[in-house]
């Protein structure tokens, strides 16, 4: 079937940066929107960012605006999340998601999900 594989997580000091990657395999995603979600310890899963494959439109949760950037490389079937000025409250498992339209991805109703990658930000 379709597989999404995240990488790039790790331990970083507050104020530092990380770049997460999500590589797609198993089929083409030419018309799929993609996004990132996260779930911190003892917290609900929340939307972080999304990007449209065919429109180039990006959306962000308010708390990460100006710090995180989502981008894509269609030739490599890969989506990135550049995270700067990281804070301890950014600590979470980050999940990649894919769906047929932007609204479904943003609302958490994506068709496909990755296994997650851990991001830990120390104080």
């Amino acid at each position: 079937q379709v597989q999404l594989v995240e990488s790039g997580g790790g331990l970083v000091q507050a104020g530092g940066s990380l770049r997460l990657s999500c590589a797609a395999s198993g089929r083409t995603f030419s018309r799929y929107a993609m996004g990132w979600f996260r779930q911190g310890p003892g917290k609900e899963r929340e939307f972080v960012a999304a990007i449209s494959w065919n429109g180039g439109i990006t959306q962000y949760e308010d708390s990460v605006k100006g710090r995180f950037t989502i981008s894509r490389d269609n030739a490599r079937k890969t989506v990135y999340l550049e995270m700067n000025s990281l804070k301890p409250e950014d600590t979470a498992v980050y999940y990649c998601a894919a769906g047929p339209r932007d609204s479904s991805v943003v609302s958490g109703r994506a068709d496909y999900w990755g296994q997650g990658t851990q991001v830990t930000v120390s104080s």
Side-chain angles (χ1 to χ4, degrees):
Q1 206 188 42
V2 174
Q3 291 184 314
L4 303 174
V5 180
E6 303 97 331
S7 61
L11 176 64
V12 65
Q13 187 82 17
S17 299
L18 284 173
R19 187 179 72 163
L20 306 184
S21 299
C22 174
S25 64
R27 61 156 289 170
T28 181
F29 281 78
S30 61
R31 293 185 178 180
Y32 269 62
M34 300 189 72
W36 291 92
F37 288 73
R38 66 186 181 186
Q39 186 168 19
K43 301 181 66 176
E44 302 286 337
R45 183 184 65 183
E46 69 172 348
F47 167 76
V48 176
I51 186 167
S52 299
W53 284 99
N54 57 344
I57 304 299
T58 59
Q59 302 179 62
Y60 297 93
E61 196 275 325
D62 286 343
S63 69
V64 308
K65 287 181 179 177
R67 299 190 298 121
F68 291 10
T69 303
I70 187 170
S71 61
R72 69 174 186 255
D73 184 337
N74 289 337
R76 297 187 63 190
K77 305 294 185 183
T78 303
V79 173
Y80 304 96
L81 185 68
E82 183 73 32
M83 306 185 295
N84 299 312
S85 302
L86 283 162
K87 306 173 181 179
E89 49 262 48
D90 295 318
T91 295
V93 177
Y94 283 71
Y95 297 92
C96 180
R101 62 194 77 255
D102 293 3
S103 59
S104 295
V105 171
V106 172
S107 68
R109 298 166 59 193
D111 291 343
Y112 304 103
W113 297 84
Q115 83 290 344
T117 185
Q118 176 71 48
V119 172
T120 303
V121 184
S122 62
S123 60

